Amino acid sequence: IDLKGKVAFIAGVGDSTGYGWAIAKALADAGCTIIVGTWPPVLKIFQLGLKKGQFDEDSILSDGSKMQIEKVYPLDAVFDTPEDVPDEIKNNKRYAGLDGYSISEVAEAVKAD
């Protein structure tokens, strides 16, 4: 499959051991640009791991190149709209400093980018 020129958004990528990573890697192998949605409570840990090269070995594609994740969006797929997010989540320290993580907000952000 040749997916060059296509952009793939994969939700649920927070490390290199799950289905999300495997899907991202397969799509990158086919030529897609990869962007991902990561659950806000693990977002900083995942971004730090990417920055430190923690996932480099697991990023190697079939041609020997490294999968690049072009952008990481905070995404909590439990909430369709910002109005669905309860105060206990908005005020949770693991969500501190984040907004725009509902499905509709992330969809708009991806569209704008």
XYZ file of all heavy atoms in Angstrom:
851
model
N 0.849 -1.182 0.000
C 0.000 0.000 0.000
C 0.889 1.237 0.000
O 1.809 1.341 0.796
C -0.920 0.030 1.244
C -1.828 -1.181 1.244
C -1.705 1.308 1.292
C -2.646 -1.309 2.517
N 0.574 2.172 -0.876
C 1.318 3.428 -0.932
C 0.433 4.548 -0.388
O -0.554 4.929 -1.006
C 1.736 3.729 -2.372
C 2.536 5.012 -2.492
O 2.913 5.599 -1.455
O 2.799 5.425 -3.629
N 0.796 5.050 0.775
C 0.016 6.111 1.405
C 0.810 7.416 1.480
O 0.499 8.276 2.311
C -0.440 5.668 2.803
C -1.367 4.447 2.835
C -1.661 4.030 4.269
C -2.663 4.734 2.086
N 1.792 7.562 0.622
C 2.578 8.804 0.602
C 1.657 9.991 0.337
O 0.760 9.926 -0.483
C 3.656 8.732 -0.473
C 4.782 7.786 -0.113
C 5.852 7.784 -1.192
C 6.908 6.768 -0.879
N 6.622 5.440 -1.396
N 1.882 11.067 1.083
C 1.066 12.257 0.943
C -0.170 12.267 1.828
O -0.874 13.266 1.902
N -0.437 11.166 2.505
C -1.580 11.074 3.414
C -1.115 11.344 4.841
O 0.028 11.124 5.192
C -2.221 9.680 3.361
C -2.670 9.262 1.978
C -3.840 10.062 1.520
C -4.314 9.559 0.159
N -5.403 10.346 -0.365
N -2.040 11.820 5.664
C -1.769 12.056 7.076
C -2.664 11.125 7.882
O -3.870 11.058 7.639
C -2.040 13.525 7.468
C -1.820 13.735 8.963
C -1.168 14.472 6.655
N -2.062 10.418 8.821
C -2.816 9.499 9.673
C -2.825 10.016 11.105
O -1.770 10.315 11.667
C -2.202 8.112 9.627
N -4.019 10.136 11.680
C -4.171 10.481 13.091
C -4.485 9.189 13.831
O -5.481 8.528 13.536
C -5.304 11.493 13.295
C -5.530 11.833 14.743
C -4.791 12.836 15.340
C -6.456 11.137 15.496
C -4.986 13.144 16.688
C -6.665 11.439 16.838
C -5.922 12.447 17.441
N -3.644 8.828 14.796
C -3.846 7.618 15.567
C -4.096 8.028 17.018
O -3.260 8.685 17.636
C -2.641 6.656 15.483
C -2.383 6.254 14.030
C -2.898 5.402 16.301
C -1.353 7.052 13.346
N -5.235 7.646 17.539
C -5.592 7.948 18.928
C -5.095 6.831 19.837
O -5.081 5.664 19.449
C -7.101 8.094 19.058
N -4.680 7.220 21.027
C -4.321 6.222 22.029
C -2.875 5.799 22.028
O -2.544 4.719 22.519
N -1.995 6.627 21.512
C -0.566 6.304 21.542
C 0.048 6.976 22.768
O 0.013 8.199 22.891
C 0.144 6.774 20.257
C 1.628 6.468 20.323
C -0.484 6.128 19.029
N 0.597 6.158 23.671
C 1.207 6.699 24.872
C 2.543 6.056 25.187
O 3.233 6.441 26.109
N 2.903 5.053 24.392
C 4.203 4.388 24.517
C 4.410 3.567 23.252
O 3.642 3.681 22.301
C 4.275 3.522 25.780
C 3.213 2.422 25.828
O 2.816 1.897 24.764
O 2.783 2.075 26.942
N 5.445 2.735 23.244
C 5.743 1.972 22.029
C 5.335 0.507 22.128
O 5.773 -0.311 21.328
C 7.235 2.060 21.717
O 8.005 1.454 22.748
N 4.473 0.181 23.101
C 4.128 -1.229 23.294
C 2.700 -1.592 22.899
O 2.364 -2.767 22.877
C 4.334 -1.645 24.772
O 3.452 -0.879 25.591
C 5.770 -1.443 25.205
N 1.862 -0.600 22.596
C 0.455 -0.888 22.352
C 0.072 -0.959 20.884
O 0.892 -0.781 19.977
N -1.200 -1.201 20.681
C -1.755 -1.273 19.327
C -1.609 0.048 18.586
O -1.359 0.060 17.385
C -3.241 -1.657 19.366
C -3.491 -3.087 19.758
C -4.150 -3.393 20.942
C -3.070 -4.133 18.944
C -4.386 -4.707 21.308
C -3.302 -5.448 19.306
C -3.959 -5.738 20.480
O -4.189 -7.038 20.843
N -1.784 1.165 19.286
C -1.672 2.468 18.638
C -0.320 2.659 17.987
O -0.211 3.125 16.853
N 0.737 2.299 18.698
C 2.094 2.418 18.154
C 2.251 1.513 16.936
O 2.809 1.924 15.912
C 3.125 2.049 19.217
C 4.528 2.283 18.769
C 5.341 1.397 18.090
C 5.299 3.470 18.930
N 6.551 1.966 17.837
C 6.564 3.242 18.349
C 5.044 4.701 19.517
C 7.561 4.200 18.337
C 6.038 5.656 19.507
C 7.287 5.400 18.918
N 1.772 0.291 17.043
C 1.888 -0.660 15.930
C 1.144 -0.146 14.695
O 1.643 -0.260 13.569
C 1.355 -2.028 16.349
N -0.009 0.426 14.894
C -0.782 0.983 13.780
C -0.032 2.169 13.174
O 0.095 2.279 11.959
C -2.194 1.394 14.244
C -3.016 0.140 14.597
C -2.898 2.252 13.201
C -4.278 0.420 15.384
N 0.479 3.050 14.036
C 1.240 4.206 13.553
C 2.447 3.759 12.742
O 2.734 4.301 11.668
C 1.686 5.080 14.733
N 3.140 2.768 13.232
C 4.347 2.277 12.551
C 4.001 1.659 11.188
O 4.681 1.910 10.193
C 5.045 1.263 13.455
C 6.454 0.959 13.045
C 7.158 0.164 14.131
C 8.489 -0.324 13.644
N 9.165 -1.148 14.664
N 2.916 0.888 11.132
C 2.496 0.288 9.860
C 2.110 1.363 8.850
O 2.464 1.279 7.664
C 1.343 -0.680 10.087
N 1.411 2.390 9.314
C 1.013 3.473 8.413
C 2.221 4.306 7.981
O 2.306 4.727 6.825
C -0.047 4.349 9.082
C -1.414 3.675 9.252
C -2.306 4.490 10.171
C -2.073 3.454 7.902
N 3.167 4.518 8.882
C 4.403 5.224 8.523
C 5.184 4.417 7.498
O 5.748 4.973 6.543
C 5.250 5.476 9.764
N 5.212 3.109 7.673
C 5.889 2.223 6.719
C 5.276 2.348 5.325
O 5.964 2.188 4.320
C 5.783 0.774 7.198
C 7.121 0.074 7.267
O 8.139 0.638 6.829
O 7.153 -1.059 7.777
N 3.974 2.641 5.282
C 3.274 2.800 3.998
C 3.412 4.219 3.445
O 2.906 4.512 2.369
C 1.803 2.435 4.159
N 4.079 5.106 4.195
C 4.348 6.439 3.677
C 3.565 7.572 4.320
O 3.734 8.733 3.942
N 2.693 7.279 5.271
C 1.885 8.321 5.921
C 2.716 9.231 6.811
O 3.685 8.802 7.431
C 0.832 7.681 6.830
S -0.653 7.151 6.003
N 2.274 10.464 6.902
C 2.730 11.363 7.947
C 1.927 11.002 9.185
O 0.706 10.852 9.114
C 2.472 12.829 7.552
O 3.250 13.118 6.385
C 2.833 13.785 8.669
N 2.603 10.879 10.327
C 1.951 10.394 11.543
C 1.751 11.526 12.541
O 2.690 12.238 12.898
C 2.793 9.277 12.200
C 3.022 8.119 11.214
C 2.147 8.798 13.496
C 1.776 7.420 10.724
N 0.500 11.664 12.997
C 0.162 12.530 14.121
C -0.636 11.665 15.092
O -1.323 10.726 14.669
C -0.614 13.791 13.685
C -1.897 13.455 12.934
C 0.273 14.694 12.834
C -2.738 14.671 12.549
N -0.509 11.940 16.382
C -1.147 11.069 17.355
C -1.901 11.856 18.420
O -1.613 13.026 18.667
C -0.127 10.120 18.045
C 0.576 9.249 17.025
C 0.866 10.885 18.896
N -2.860 11.177 19.035
C -3.585 11.699 20.182
C -3.212 10.877 21.399
O -3.278 9.649 21.361
N -2.791 11.566 22.453
C -2.320 10.896 23.666
C -3.155 11.339 24.855
O -3.455 12.525 25.006
C -0.826 11.213 23.899
O -0.080 10.736 22.782
C -0.307 10.569 25.169
N -3.505 10.387 25.712
C -4.303 10.651 26.902
C -3.574 11.668 27.775
O -2.382 11.494 28.074
C -4.529 9.342 27.635
C -5.487 9.371 28.770
C -6.723 9.954 28.791
C -5.305 8.766 30.043
N -7.321 9.743 30.005
C -6.465 9.019 30.799
C -4.277 8.027 30.619
C -6.631 8.559 32.105
C -4.436 7.576 31.910
C -5.598 7.837 32.649
N -4.231 12.752 28.160
C -3.568 13.825 28.904
C -2.742 13.406 30.126
O -1.641 13.917 30.309
C -4.723 14.760 29.283
C -5.678 14.603 28.133
C -5.618 13.124 27.812
N -3.208 12.446 30.954
C -2.384 12.079 32.101
C -1.010 11.476 31.759
O -0.117 11.491 32.591
C -3.248 11.077 32.865
C -4.641 11.521 32.561
C -4.571 11.914 31.093
N -0.835 10.948 30.559
C 0.480 10.396 30.183
C 1.182 11.237 29.119
O 2.273 10.888 28.660
C 0.373 8.918 29.718
C -0.175 8.046 30.826
C -0.435 8.772 28.454
N 0.586 12.338 28.740
C 1.111 13.172 27.654
C 2.553 13.621 27.901
O 3.425 13.440 27.045
C 0.208 14.384 27.444
C 0.636 15.373 26.359
C 0.556 14.732 24.984
C -0.237 16.619 26.415
N 2.831 14.206 29.059
C 4.175 14.719 29.335
C 5.208 13.600 29.365
O 6.312 13.762 28.857
C 4.187 15.507 30.648
C 3.467 16.832 30.547
C 3.459 17.587 31.857
C 2.632 18.855 31.718
N 2.444 19.534 32.996
N 4.849 12.471 29.943
C 5.755 11.322 29.999
C 6.071 10.844 28.584
O 7.227 10.562 28.252
C 5.140 10.174 30.834
C 5.002 10.614 32.288
C 5.948 8.899 30.720
C 4.142 9.705 33.136
N 5.040 10.753 27.736
C 5.231 10.303 26.360
C 6.094 11.297 25.581
O 7.045 10.902 24.892
C 3.881 10.105 25.668
C 3.982 9.649 24.243
C 4.601 8.455 23.920
C 3.456 10.412 23.215
C 4.706 8.024 22.601
C 3.544 9.994 21.898
C 4.165 8.797 21.586
N 5.806 12.570 25.700
C 6.582 13.583 24.988
C 8.042 13.581 25.448
O 8.949 13.721 24.624
C 5.960 14.966 25.171
C 4.661 15.122 24.410
C 3.964 16.442 24.688
O 3.908 16.906 25.820
N 3.415 17.043 23.646
N 8.270 13.414 26.729
C 9.630 13.353 27.249
C 10.355 12.122 26.712
O 11.523 12.196 26.324
C 9.618 13.346 28.777
C 10.966 13.425 29.465
C 11.725 14.696 29.078
C 10.792 13.369 30.978
N 9.656 10.994 26.660
C 10.236 9.776 26.097
C 10.626 9.952 24.642
O 11.691 9.499 24.212
N 9.776 10.624 23.871
C 10.102 10.903 22.466
C 11.352 11.778 22.371
O 12.258 11.502 21.585
C 8.937 11.599 21.766
C 7.725 10.756 21.409
C 6.588 11.640 20.897
C 8.075 9.693 20.379
N 11.378 12.826 23.196
C 12.491 13.772 23.173
C 13.817 13.107 23.556
O 14.858 13.386 22.958
C 12.189 14.936 24.121
C 13.193 16.051 24.090
C 12.758 17.184 24.996
C 13.777 18.302 24.972
N 13.380 19.414 25.832
N 13.756 12.213 24.529
C 14.962 11.535 25.007
C 15.400 10.383 24.103
O 16.438 9.780 24.336
C 14.736 10.986 26.418
C 14.709 12.028 27.493
C 14.552 11.335 28.841
C 14.819 12.276 29.988
N 14.755 11.570 31.284
N 14.577 10.043 23.114
C 14.919 8.932 22.226
C 14.581 7.573 22.804
O 15.060 6.551 22.314
N 13.745 7.556 23.817
C 13.370 6.319 24.491
C 12.702 5.315 23.545
O 12.777 4.109 23.768
C 12.427 6.673 25.641
C 12.009 5.545 26.521
C 11.115 6.037 27.662
O 11.086 7.206 28.000
N 10.371 5.122 28.239
N 12.064 5.813 22.492
C 11.337 4.935 21.581
C 12.056 4.740 20.242
O 11.495 4.162 19.316
C 9.928 5.503 21.327
C 9.177 5.825 22.582
C 8.795 7.120 22.872
C 8.849 4.833 23.493
C 8.101 7.429 24.038
C 8.157 5.128 24.666
C 7.786 6.428 24.934
N 13.276 5.225 20.152
C 14.006 5.179 18.876
C 14.127 3.759 18.308
O 13.892 3.544 17.122
C 15.396 5.795 19.015
C 15.367 7.305 19.069
O 14.270 7.900 18.927
O 16.442 7.906 19.254
N 14.494 2.815 19.144
C 14.667 1.439 18.671
C 13.358 0.876 18.124
O 13.341 0.169 17.113
C 15.179 0.563 19.811
C 15.607 -0.815 19.368
C 16.233 -1.595 20.511
O 17.124 -1.055 21.205
O 15.811 -2.757 20.711
N 12.246 1.236 18.776
C 10.930 0.751 18.353
C 10.365 1.545 17.177
O 9.283 1.233 16.686
C 9.939 0.823 19.521
C 10.322 -0.107 20.659
O 10.932 -1.152 20.391
O 10.013 0.226 21.817
N 11.088 2.578 16.744
C 10.627 3.448 15.655
C 11.199 3.064 14.288
O 10.870 3.693 13.296
C 11.024 4.903 15.935
O 10.422 5.360 17.108
N 12.049 2.056 14.248
C 12.705 1.696 12.992
C 11.712 1.018 12.048
O 11.066 0.028 12.399
C 13.924 0.781 13.248
C 14.910 1.450 14.209
C 14.612 0.406 11.933
C 15.430 2.799 13.755
N 11.632 1.579 10.850
C 10.721 1.060 9.821
C 11.416 0.001 8.980
O 12.627 -0.195 9.080
C 10.217 2.217 8.958
C 9.485 3.335 9.713
C 9.136 4.477 8.765
C 8.232 2.807 10.398
N 10.669 -0.650 8.118
C 11.205 -1.757 7.325
C 12.342 -1.337 6.402
O 13.207 -2.146 6.072
C 10.094 -2.433 6.519
O 9.531 -1.517 5.597
N 12.380 -0.066 6.011
C 13.473 0.399 5.141
C 14.673 0.916 5.936
O 15.623 1.442 5.373
C 12.970 1.478 4.178
C 12.547 2.765 4.868
O 12.621 2.851 6.113
O 12.133 3.705 4.158
N 14.609 0.779 7.271
C 15.710 1.219 8.123
C 15.590 2.653 8.614
O 16.357 3.080 9.468
N 14.635 3.405 8.070
C 14.436 4.788 8.524
C 13.671 4.778 9.848
O 13.155 3.753 10.283
C 13.694 5.603 7.467
O 12.369 5.135 7.317
N 13.602 5.944 10.459
C 12.923 6.073 11.745
C 11.562 6.743 11.552
O 11.464 7.763 10.882
C 13.788 6.912 12.684
C 13.230 7.085 14.063
C 14.166 7.948 14.910
C 13.393 8.579 16.031
N 14.074 9.704 16.619
N 10.533 6.159 12.161
C 9.207 6.763 12.135
C 9.276 8.112 12.858
O 9.794 8.207 13.965
C 8.186 5.866 12.837
C 6.806 6.508 12.975
S 5.551 5.436 13.726
C 6.100 5.310 15.418
N 8.726 9.134 12.219
C 8.638 10.453 12.816
C 7.192 10.713 13.214
O 6.292 10.540 12.399
C 9.085 11.524 11.820
C 10.516 11.395 11.366
C 11.502 11.604 12.505
O 11.343 12.504 13.318
N 12.502 10.759 12.566
N 6.990 11.119 14.450
C 5.668 11.555 14.880
C 5.679 13.071 14.757
O 6.395 13.758 15.480
C 5.352 11.090 16.310
C 5.308 9.556 16.343
C 4.036 11.692 16.795
C 5.087 8.956 17.713
N 4.923 13.571 13.792
C 4.959 14.993 13.460
C 4.329 15.875 14.520
O 4.762 17.003 14.727
C 4.286 15.239 12.109
C 4.977 14.564 10.945
C 6.399 15.041 10.717
O 6.677 16.257 10.881
O 7.250 14.193 10.395
N 3.287 15.375 15.185
C 2.629 16.176 16.219
C 1.908 15.255 17.181
O 1.377 14.225 16.787
C 1.646 17.169 15.598
C 1.049 18.124 16.614
C 0.650 19.434 16.025
C 0.176 20.359 17.136
N -0.348 21.595 16.652
N 1.913 15.664 18.446
C 1.202 14.928 19.493
C 0.142 15.870 20.071
O 0.460 16.966 20.528
C 2.161 14.475 20.612
C 1.390 13.727 21.689
C 3.291 13.616 20.050
N -1.102 15.431 20.010
C -2.221 16.198 20.550
C -2.687 15.564 21.853
O -2.768 14.334 21.932
C -3.414 16.177 19.586
C -3.180 16.845 18.267
C -2.582 16.164 17.210
C -3.565 18.167 18.064
C -2.376 16.787 15.985
C -3.363 18.799 16.845
C -2.767 18.092 15.814
O -2.561 18.711 14.600
N -3.041 16.368 22.859
C -3.689 15.780 24.023
C -5.104 15.366 23.611
O -5.796 16.126 22.942
C -3.713 16.924 25.047
C -3.640 18.172 24.233
C -2.896 17.815 22.976
N -5.514 14.156 23.972
C -6.841 13.667 23.590
C -7.411 12.787 24.688
O -6.801 11.786 25.062
C -6.764 12.852 22.296
C -8.045 12.116 21.890
C -9.152 13.096 21.518
C -7.781 11.148 20.761
N -8.566 13.168 25.188
C -9.317 12.299 26.087
C -10.613 11.950 25.359
O -11.551 12.739 25.322
C -9.601 12.979 27.426
C -10.074 11.961 28.456
O -10.781 11.010 28.052
O -9.736 12.112 29.636
N -10.624 10.765 24.785
C -11.736 10.342 23.929
C -13.013 10.035 24.700
O -14.027 9.697 24.091
C -11.312 9.134 23.096
N -12.996 10.196 26.005
C -14.217 10.032 26.794
C -15.153 11.219 26.559
O -16.364 11.088 26.653
C -13.875 9.901 28.298
C -15.127 9.966 29.161
C -13.119 8.609 28.547
N -14.569 12.372 26.212
C -15.347 13.602 26.120
C -15.499 14.060 24.673
O -14.512 14.339 23.998
C -14.674 14.699 26.960
C -14.370 14.251 28.352
C -13.065 14.101 28.783
C -15.401 13.935 29.230
C -12.774 13.669 30.067
C -15.127 13.495 30.523
C -13.810 13.360 30.937
N -16.738 14.135 24.208
C -17.019 14.565 22.844
C -16.803 16.063 22.663
O -16.316 16.498 21.618
C -18.456 14.223 22.440
C -18.671 12.730 22.301
O -17.717 12.006 21.956
O -19.807 12.281 22.545
N -17.215 16.843 23.653
C -17.122 18.302 23.570
C -16.549 18.832 24.887
O -16.581 18.132 25.903
C -18.504 18.955 23.348
O -19.290 18.749 24.523
C -19.209 18.377 22.121
N -16.074 20.076 24.889
C -15.553 20.628 26.151
C -16.617 20.703 27.246
O -16.293 20.601 28.435
C -15.055 22.020 25.769
C -15.374 22.244 24.352
C -15.904 20.981 23.768
N -17.857 20.840 26.855
C -18.946 20.900 27.837
C -19.129 19.562 28.565
O -19.707 19.523 29.647
C -20.268 21.303 27.158
C -20.275 22.701 26.583
C -19.527 22.833 25.255
O -19.464 21.852 24.489
O -18.986 23.928 25.010
N -18.649 18.487 27.978
C -18.761 17.158 28.590
C -17.736 16.920 29.692
O -17.859 15.960 30.457
C -18.588 16.057 27.540
C -19.676 16.067 26.487
O -20.793 16.519 26.789
O -19.403 15.605 25.364
N -16.715 17.770 29.765
C -15.632 17.568 30.734
C -16.086 18.074 32.107
O -16.349 19.259 32.275
C -14.345 18.303 30.295
C -13.227 18.054 31.301
C -13.921 17.883 28.888
N -16.162 17.177 33.092
C -16.597 17.611 34.422
C -15.510 18.432 35.129
O -14.325 18.322 34.812
C -16.851 16.291 35.169
C -16.062 15.268 34.442
C -15.940 15.740 33.021
N -15.922 19.226 36.082
C -14.995 20.069 36.832
C -13.888 19.258 37.501
O -12.752 19.707 37.580
C -15.737 20.904 37.882
C -16.524 22.039 37.256
O -16.204 22.441 36.115
O -17.467 22.531 37.902
N -14.215 18.061 37.981
C -13.193 17.248 38.656
C -12.038 16.898 37.710
O -10.899 16.768 38.150
C -13.791 15.994 39.276
C -14.287 14.970 38.246
C -14.994 13.789 38.875
O -16.004 14.014 39.557
O -14.541 12.659 38.669
N -12.329 16.770 36.422
C -11.265 16.525 35.438
C -10.552 17.833 35.117
O -9.321 17.889 35.099
C -11.827 15.885 34.145
C -12.410 14.502 34.441
C -10.780 15.828 33.051
C -11.406 13.457 34.875
N -11.308 18.874 34.876
C -10.704 20.179 34.573
C -9.747 20.625 35.670
O -8.735 21.261 35.389
C -11.793 21.248 34.392
C -12.623 21.081 33.161
C -13.717 22.131 33.120
C -14.683 21.872 31.982
N -15.828 22.772 32.021
N -10.054 20.284 36.913
C -9.244 20.703 38.055
C -8.224 19.654 38.488
O -7.480 19.877 39.437
C -10.150 21.065 39.233
C -11.077 22.215 38.892
O -10.707 23.142 38.195
N -12.306 22.153 39.382
N -8.187 18.532 37.807
C -7.257 17.462 38.142
C -5.839 17.880 37.773
O -5.602 18.398 36.679
C -7.657 16.192 37.383
C -6.826 14.991 37.742
O -5.611 15.006 37.641
N -7.508 13.933 38.148
N -4.880 17.641 38.656
C -3.501 18.071 38.404
C -2.903 17.414 37.157
O -2.016 17.983 36.536
C -2.613 17.807 39.622
C -2.368 16.348 39.920
C -1.465 16.183 41.120
C -1.209 14.703 41.360
N -0.311 14.499 42.487
N -3.384 16.244 36.772
C -2.855 15.576 35.581
C -3.341 16.233 34.283
O -2.835 15.954 33.213
C -3.206 14.091 35.617
C -2.506 13.421 36.778
C -2.863 12.018 37.090
N -3.621 11.248 36.154
C -3.766 9.939 36.229
N -3.184 9.265 37.193
N -4.496 9.296 35.364
N -4.316 17.114 34.398
C -4.833 17.862 33.250
C -4.423 19.337 33.317
O -4.816 20.126 32.466
C -6.358 17.768 33.182
C -6.860 16.422 32.711
C -6.819 15.310 33.543
C -7.379 16.265 31.436
C -7.283 14.070 33.117
C -7.852 15.039 30.999
C -7.797 13.947 31.846
O -8.252 12.727 31.403
N -3.648 19.683 34.323
C -3.248 21.080 34.546
C -2.538 21.651 33.324
O -1.657 21.019 32.739
C -2.347 21.180 35.771
N -2.957 22.834 32.942
C -2.321 23.517 31.814
C -2.770 23.036 30.451
O -2.283 23.518 29.435
N -3.666 22.076 30.417
C -4.147 21.541 29.137
C -5.570 21.993 28.870
O -6.376 22.121 29.777
C -4.123 20.013 29.142
C -2.768 19.336 29.219
C -2.960 17.839 29.317
C -1.915 19.683 28.019
N -5.858 22.213 27.622
C -7.228 22.391 27.176
C -7.295 21.881 25.752
O -6.299 21.479 25.172
C -7.694 23.849 27.292
C -6.849 24.810 26.484
O -5.905 24.376 25.811
O -7.143 26.009 26.505
N -8.479 21.837 25.206
C -8.621 21.390 23.825
C -8.422 19.903 23.633
O -7.994 19.470 22.573
N -8.738 19.086 24.632
C -8.488 17.648 24.534
C -9.751 16.813 24.298
O -9.678 15.594 24.253
C -7.744 17.140 25.772
C -8.330 17.575 27.094
C -9.423 16.921 27.636
C -7.778 18.639 27.783
C -9.965 17.328 28.843
C -8.305 19.049 28.993
C -9.395 18.393 29.523
O -9.930 18.796 30.716
N -10.902 17.453 24.121
C -12.099 16.676 23.768
C -12.014 16.286 22.290
O -11.232 16.865 21.524
C -13.372 17.481 24.028
O -13.493 18.538 23.091
N -12.815 15.327 21.898
C -12.782 14.839 20.517
C -13.043 15.977 19.523
O -12.308 16.136 18.553
C -13.799 13.690 20.311
C -13.361 12.460 21.111
C -13.935 13.342 18.831
C -14.394 11.349 21.170
N -14.069 16.776 19.785
C -14.401 17.846 18.831
C -13.290 18.890 18.751
O -12.977 19.392 17.662
C -15.729 18.508 19.203
O -15.661 19.113 20.480
N -12.670 19.202 19.882
C -11.590 20.195 19.877
C -10.347 19.687 19.151
O -9.713 20.436 18.403
C -11.220 20.577 21.315
C -12.310 21.340 22.035
C -12.013 21.459 23.510
O -11.916 20.410 24.201
O -11.863 22.608 23.969
N -10.019 18.429 19.372
C -8.857 17.863 18.682
C -9.124 17.774 17.185
O -8.250 18.092 16.368
C -8.463 16.488 19.272
C -7.351 15.837 18.457
C -8.015 16.639 20.725
N -10.340 17.393 16.826
C -10.689 17.333 15.391
C -10.530 18.702 14.745
O -9.974 18.814 13.629
C -12.109 16.814 15.215
N -10.952 19.744 15.420
C -10.781 21.108 14.893
C -9.316 21.507 14.813
O -8.884 22.143 13.852
C -11.568 22.112 15.743
C -13.061 22.061 15.517
C -13.459 22.344 14.071
O -12.941 23.297 13.468
O -14.286 21.583 13.539
N -8.539 21.127 15.818
C -7.109 21.460 15.820
C -6.380 20.750 14.670
O -5.562 21.372 13.982
C -6.473 21.075 17.157
N -6.712 19.491 14.451
C -6.093 18.739 13.349
C -6.472 19.381 12.024
O -5.624 19.578 11.143
C -6.508 17.251 13.390
C -6.110 16.534 12.104
C -5.894 16.571 14.609
N -7.728 19.728 11.888
C -8.225 20.370 10.667
C -7.500 21.691 10.413
O -7.108 22.005 9.290
C -9.733 20.617 10.808
C -10.437 21.061 9.576
C -11.932 21.129 9.908
C -12.726 21.762 8.820
N -14.152 21.864 9.172
N -7.288 22.472 11.478
C -6.621 23.781 11.358
C -5.147 23.643 11.013
O -4.579 24.477 10.318
C -6.780 24.570 12.651
N -4.533 22.561 11.514
C -3.102 22.347 11.253
C -2.904 21.828 9.844
O -1.890 21.895 9.256
C -2.509 21.367 12.259
C -2.401 21.988 13.660
O -2.492 23.221 13.795
O -2.237 21.217 14.613
